[in-house]
């Protein structure tokens, strides 16, 4: 049973289309990420579902009720944006309580709810600080608390972590996901960051130029990109043209293939991995230490391959060295045009 159903959603600004015929369903409690490069239409799609932008065509249903033409405040959607959109002249507590006050909820009840949610986002001791006195991460937790305290049916998060430092970003990823799971809150998260989408989501909707080009669990989308865009966006895939796909991999010659750097092995296929029987001979042209992984550029024929080797037990290869490349047979992806 679908909790959110979006059908044929279409949006233009003046006569410029942003997206057309968007269709998807979301189950109750699912964490969905809209992932895609800047300008592909993620925020506009979210704003249309939230009622902050009108749509040209299509329908939005939540819990079996059509909300396409409802005003935003009647949709039961909580939102957190990249820019905090908090009231600077109010304290953290007052910011969080604001929405409840407007609804006319009694003060005792407001106090109980705000205290509870402050604990959830771990802002105890910061209640009376003005927004200016808080760090970026704390501000974003105020924004999150303000959205959660109204007990929305759906939570929308539009790049909420993009303005924060790497370390705080990672901590808040974890916090958001934990709270979302505990509350069983249906969530749509927006990001352009592939790693963020991978670690947080139940399912990823990968967007490109106003279309959802692929959707699936993080491991499905990562391991089986359907086209060259998906392969380029989801990982460091090697893209092999039609001619070489036919020559090396015995493909039909009518489509490209994509192979991940960790699905290619140097000199020796690992035990238990079925590899193509004929290796490709090449020369190491470049070697990069990425930390846990050593990334080699290997030139074979006129193609350059990226090959990743785990650093822990890596035999090191030198630039200029001739090597054999073994391809994991089950990890060569046929791409759609
Ligand atoms: P994303 O969030 O993926 O970066 P947006 O949804 O913000 O993308 O933008 C998608 C496209 O819609 C862009 O080309 C953008 O310029 C355009 N757009 C967004 N908002 C407006 C608006 N209010 N008026 C006109 N064009 C807009
Ligand atoms: Mg955006």
């Amino acid at each position: 049973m679908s909790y959110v159903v979006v059908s044929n959603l279409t949006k233009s600004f003046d006569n410029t289309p942003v997206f057309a015929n968007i269709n998807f369903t979301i189950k109750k409690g699912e964490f969905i990420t809209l992932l895609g490069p800047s300008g592909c239409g993620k925020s506009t799609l979210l704003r249309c579902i939230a009622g902050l932008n009108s749509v040209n065509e299509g329908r939005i249903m939540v819990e079996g009720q059509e909300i396409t033409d409802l005003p935003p405040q009647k949709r039961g959607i909580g939102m957190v944006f990249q820019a905090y959109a908090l009231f600077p002249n109010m304290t953290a507590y007052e910011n969080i309580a604001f929405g409840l006050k407007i609804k006319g909820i009694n003060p005792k009840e407001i106090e109980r709810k705000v205290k509870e949610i402050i604990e959830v986002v771990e802002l105890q001791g910061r209640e009376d600080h003005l927004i200016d006195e808080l760090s970026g991460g704390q501000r974003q937790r105020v924004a999150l608390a303000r959205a959660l305290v109204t007990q929305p049916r759906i939570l929308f998060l539009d790049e909420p972590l993009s303005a924060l430092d790497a370390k705080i970003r990672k901590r808040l990823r974890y916090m958001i996901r934990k709270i979302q799971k505990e509350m069983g809150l249906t969530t749509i998260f927006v990001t352009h960051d592939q790693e963020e989408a991978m670690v947080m989501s139940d399912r990823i909707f990968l967007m490109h130029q106003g279309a959802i080009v692929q959707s699936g669990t993080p491991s499905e989308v990562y391991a089986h990109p359907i086209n060259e865009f998906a392969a380029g966006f989801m990982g460091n895939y090697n893209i092999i043209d039609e001619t070489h796909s036919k020559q090396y991999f015995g493909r039909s010659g009518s489509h490209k293939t994509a192979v991940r750097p960790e699905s290619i092995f140097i000199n020796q296929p690992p035990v238990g991995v079925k590899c193509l029987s004929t290796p490709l001979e090449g020369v190491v042209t470049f070697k990069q230490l990425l930390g846990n992984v050593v990334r080699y550029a290997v030139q074979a024929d006129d193609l350059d391959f990226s090959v990743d080797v785990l650093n822990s037990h890596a035999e090191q290869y030198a630039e200029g060295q001739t090597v054999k490349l073994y391809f994991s047979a089950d990890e060569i992806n046929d791409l759609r045009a």
Side-chain angles (χ1 to χ4, degrees):
M1 174 56 190
S2 300
Y3 192 67
V4 180
V5 180
V6 167
S7 328
N8 298 318
L9 213 63
T10 298
K11 173 67 181 171
S12 313
F13 286 111
D14 299 324
N15 284 319
T16 312
V18 181
F19 51 77
N21 289 312
I22 295 273
N23 291 286
F24 60 80
T25 62
I26 301 177
K27 291 199 284 280
K28 190 166 169 42
E30 253 192 315
F31 191 112
I32 297 294
T33 296
L34 303 179
L35 171 67
S38 176
C40 73
K42 306 180 295 296
S43 295
T44 305
L45 178 54
L46 209 61
R47 292 173 61 83
C48 285
I49 302 170
L52 302 172
N53 284 137
S54 62
V55 296
N56 299 80
E57 277 173 58
R59 268 158 50 113
I60 307 157
M61 311 275 294
V62 178
E63 284 183 297
Q65 174 207 9
E66 175 155 13
I67 63 160
T68 321
D69 297 316
L70 282 186
Q73 64 276 12
K74 295 250 170 81
R75 297 188 182 205
I77 293 172
M79 285 202 76
V80 179
F81 304 92
Q82 178 180 341
Y84 316 107
L86 299 167
F87 301 111
N89 55 336
M90 290 187 196
T91 64
Y93 184 98
E94 288 163 348
N95 266 282
I96 298 167
F98 186 78
L100 299 177
K101 269 196 188 148
I102 286 200
K103 282 189 178 169
I105 292 169
N106 82 61
K108 272 265 172 318
E109 183 71 1
I110 293 179
E111 193 181 334
R112 189 186 63 75
K113 287 187 170 190
V114 174
K115 274 199 166 144
E116 187 183 306
I117 211 73
I118 278 176
E119 277 181 32
V120 170
V121 300
E122 298 171 20
L123 278 172
Q124 302 96 315
R126 302 270 187 260
E127 295 90 335
D128 299 329
H129 287 53
L130 291 172
I131 297 308
D132 282 349
E133 299 165 344
L134 299 174
S135 68
Q138 289 165 344
R139 285 178 207 187
Q140 207 51 305
R141 281 185 277 151
V142 174
L144 179 63
R146 187 181 56 174
L148 292 175
V149 80
T150 60
Q151 293 177 302
R153 295 193 286 184
I154 317 175
L155 180 64
F156 282 2
L157 302 153
D158 191 351
E159 311 240 11
L161 308 180
S162 298
L164 305 174
D165 295 345
K167 201 171 156 194
I168 293 168
R169 209 157 64 214
K170 286 190 177 154
R171 198 176 138 223
L172 283 193
R173 269 181 199 170
Y174 175 76
M175 178 185 267
I176 290 172
R177 182 62 162 144
K178 182 164 166 274
I179 294 171
Q180 180 270 336
K181 272 191 179 163
E182 280 170 8
M183 294 186 164
L185 195 55
T186 310
T187 300
I188 307 182
F189 183 89
V190 166
T191 185
H192 62 272
D193 183 321
Q194 177 260 131
E195 184 187 299
E196 202 163 275
M198 295 267 299
V199 299
M200 295 185 77
S201 321
D202 291 315
R203 280 191 300 149
I204 293 173
F205 294 174
L206 182 62
M207 287 186 71
H208 185 216
Q209 296 176 340
I212 297 175
V213 293
Q214 187 168 7
S215 62
T217 65
S219 58
E220 280 165 2
V221 179
Y222 184 69
H224 302 291
I226 64 156
N227 62 16
E228 193 166 349
F229 167 78
F233 205 81
M234 288 310 295
N236 223 296
Y237 273 85
N238 293 287
I239 309 289
I240 296 111
D241 63 56
E242 294 87 340
T243 312
H244 287 94
S245 295
K246 186 176 180 183
Q247 187 186 340
Y248 301 153
F249 307 142
R251 295 317 210 248
S252 66
S254 61
H255 51 76
K256 296 182 184 183
T257 52
V259 181
R260 264 181 290 151
E262 66 268 34
S263 306
I264 307 174
F265 307 99
I266 298 181
N267 285 349
Q268 179 120 39
V271 179
V273 178
K274 195 175 87 195
C275 284
L276 297 186
S277 50
T278 321
L280 208 62
E281 196 166 281
V283 174
V284 175
T285 55
F286 196 62
K287 176 180 172 179
Q288 239 180 334
L289 176 63
L290 302 182
N292 57 339
V293 157
V294 184
R295 176 161 297 165
Y296 294 95
V298 177
Q299 193 176 13
D301 287 347
D302 46 356
L303 293 186
D304 283 309
F305 289 93
S306 251
V307 182
D308 285 354
V309 180
L310 260 189
N311 194 15
S312 60
H313 50 84
E315 189 184 336
Q316 303 269 318
Y317 307 97
E319 289 172 12
Q321 188 176 336
T322 299
V323 293
K324 288 195 172 80
L325 298 182
Y326 288 87
F327 293 82
S328 171
D330 296 332
E331 294 175 292
I332 298 166
N333 289 277
D334 297 315
L335 300 178
R336 262 190 234 160

